Amino acid sequence: MSEKRPVVLYGASGFSGRLVAEFLREYRVPFIAAGRDGARVQDVLDHVPGISTADYEVVQVGHSVDELTELFDGARVVCNTVGPCFRFAPTVVDAALAAGCHYVDTGGETPWVRAAKEGWGERFADRGLLLAPATAYMSATAEIAARVAIENAPGIDTLEILSMFKGNPSYGSSQTVYGQLVYESIYLEGNEYRTWPPLTVLDVTIPGSITTHSALPWGGFPHPVWFKDHPQIANVRAFGGILDPVVMQGVIAGERDYVEKLKPLPLEDQQRILSELAAAAQGATPPRENRRENRTVDVVMGRGNLDTAHVVIHGTGAYLQTGLIQAFAAHHLTFASPFKVGFASPGEAFGHLELLKALESYGFVKLSVIS
């Protein structure tokens, strides 16, 4: 193994980045905390609980392929938390490939996941490297439930997936939610991509709640991409939302305003205005999650001709789960090869049951197989 620290955490000063650092410390994985402002990275990490016992260094780096390639050279894996990924990740992926590093990120935007698979998947596979975007709560936890459903009901061919969390989206997440509006939302039908109509809003029911909630396709989530051409699963519809109805109604209103007012504008103007709206909605760093308040629920319903499956994962701390999932992935890649190279979902790369056990070991989730 190279003497260089094996993990590069890029975007360490962000809300998700500091949580990844916290759990890298838990796993005792040496890492480089990198970002465009080294002083800010250091200031943020100084406030991470227990960070004085971690083996890490801070590096300031520009967001260019050449500079990032030099930084990544000799490391095993890059954990990218700089988002939105559809805007910033291609540069990081190019650098990881040039440096010969595995790549994981926290961005679950469907346009980015599709682009990663189609643009870089084969090139990473040819090098024996992993490319695993969306290694984070909003996708990976639901994927665990989906793969458990498939194991428990081999006759199902259809998945309906719902991910809901209570909390305040971070700055990066807000940029993603608004920025993704310029792209179509997809689902999978007969192993072919289909497009949701604009302003699709669903009323959903959640185990453990007597009220209904609103959910959006939000680009379609990565699951239709992950299960495309799956030998068993032909149909996938995925939705998500925020359990606070006031916040969620604001998100829905923002999407309606985009369709009615912004969509006719040139794309560059759309992106600029959406970025400004996202910054206005969440310009500050939200408080660290309180697990008694910031809870999650992921529901998967499976259906075949006669077989059915119903799997629920109740959890706490969406961003805490993301930090742990990223650190678990980095720890695995520090000492072993992924289960699959090239483009892969977190479950394919690290094992969905292994990811489940990691989350359970910290008391973050509880899985229930209803039927």
Side-chain angles (χ1 to χ4, degrees):
M1 184 182 295
S2 169
E3 293 183 1
K4 187 168 188 173
R5 289 175 174 85
V7 176
V8 178
L9 172 57
Y10 183 50
S13 63
F15 188 65
S16 294
R18 67 191 69 188
L19 291 169
V20 178
E22 181 177 333
F23 287 104
L24 286 171
R25 169 195 170 272
E26 291 270 345
Y27 277 95
R28 297 186 181 277
V29 175
F31 65 97
I32 295 169
R36 287 170 288 182
D37 186 336
R40 175 166 169 74
V41 172
Q42 185 64 67
D43 179 64
V44 166
L45 289 190
D46 284 344
H47 294 86
V48 170
I51 197 65
S52 62
T53 63
D55 179 0
Y56 77 99
E57 63 176 308
V58 172
V59 174
Q60 180 169 303
V61 63
H63 188 76
S64 72
V65 173
D66 289 343
E67 290 178 87
L68 291 173
T69 300
E70 182 178 356
L71 174 64
F72 298 163
D73 185 43
R76 289 274 298 172
V77 56
V78 176
C79 295
N80 179 27
T81 67
V82 176
C85 281
F86 51 69
R87 189 180 305 162
F88 298 111
T91 300
V92 189
V93 169
D94 280 337
L97 182 61
C101 284
H102 299 298
Y103 173 93
V104 297
D105 70 35
T106 57
E109 310 99 305
T110 315
W112 162 238
V113 175
R114 287 185 67 180
K117 178 181 180 180
E118 296 164 7
W120 288 272
E122 290 186 5
R123 287 188 282 167
F124 268 72
D126 290 343
R127 296 282 302 277
L129 298 172
L130 172 67
L131 173 65
T135 302
Y137 160 71
M138 205 65 179
S139 311
T141 305
E143 185 203 359
I144 293 169
R147 296 194 183 276
V148 169
I150 293 169
E151 289 177 340
N152 280 271
I156 64 174
D157 58 20
T158 299
L159 296 172
E160 286 193 319
I161 300 170
L162 176 67
S163 296
M164 305 287 291
F165 75 99
K166 184 177 182 180
N168 295 313
S170 66
Y171 173 83
S173 295
S174 297
Q175 289 288 332
T176 295
V177 169
Y178 281 85
Q180 193 168 252
L181 291 176
V182 303
Y183 300 96
E184 295 178 331
S185 294
I186 64 166
Y187 60 97
L188 198 63
E189 184 177 290
N191 273 327
E192 298 294 334
Y193 293 131
R194 301 283 187 261
T195 303
W196 285 107
L199 300 178
T200 296
V201 180
L202 297 98
D203 291 324
V204 297
T205 57
I206 300 172
S209 175
I210 63 173
T211 60
T212 60
H213 296 267
S214 297
L216 296 169
W218 269 346
F221 289 82
H223 309 93
V225 183
W226 289 336
F227 287 101
K228 182 79 163 63
D229 302 319
H230 189 276
Q232 177 180 338
I233 301 301
N235 312 296
V236 179
R237 302 195 307 166
F239 323 102
I242 301 168
L243 289 168
D244 185 325
V246 175
V247 175
M248 193 60 190
Q249 288 306 312
V251 172
I252 294 170
E255 182 167 341
R256 184 177 297 109
D257 284 345
Y258 166 75
V259 171
E260 295 175 353
K261 301 175 183 178
L262 299 183
K263 198 170 184 179
L265 300 177
L267 180 60
E268 184 176 332
D269 291 340
Q270 293 182 41
Q271 293 173 330
R272 174 182 55 79
I273 295 171
L274 288 170
S275 180
E276 292 171 354
L277 291 172
Q282 181 57 279
T285 300
R288 192 178 189 278
E289 288 172 315
N290 182 329
R291 294 199 291 167
R292 289 169 64 91
E293 298 176 2
N294 302 119
R295 292 171 174 167
T296 66
V297 58
D298 293 81
V299 184
V300 171
M301 305 292 291
R303 176 65 201 266
N305 285 345
L306 299 177
D307 286 352
T308 61
H310 183 187
V311 180
V312 180
I313 298 181
H314 287 98
T316 59
Y319 290 96
L320 290 169
Q321 290 182 48
T322 291
L324 177 59
I325 290 168
Q326 282 275 310
F328 176 85
H331 180 266
H332 178 111
L333 294 171
T334 297
F335 297 102
S337 299
F339 296 163
K340 179 182 177 182
V341 296
F343 176 84
S345 70
E348 291 173 318
F350 308 108
H352 65 283
L353 295 180
E354 287 81 354
L355 287 168
L356 174 63
K357 289 299 181 183
L359 291 166
E360 288 177 334
S361 71
Y362 275 81
F364 285 164
V365 303
K366 180 179 180 180
L367 180 142
S368 301
V369 178
I370 309 301
S371 60

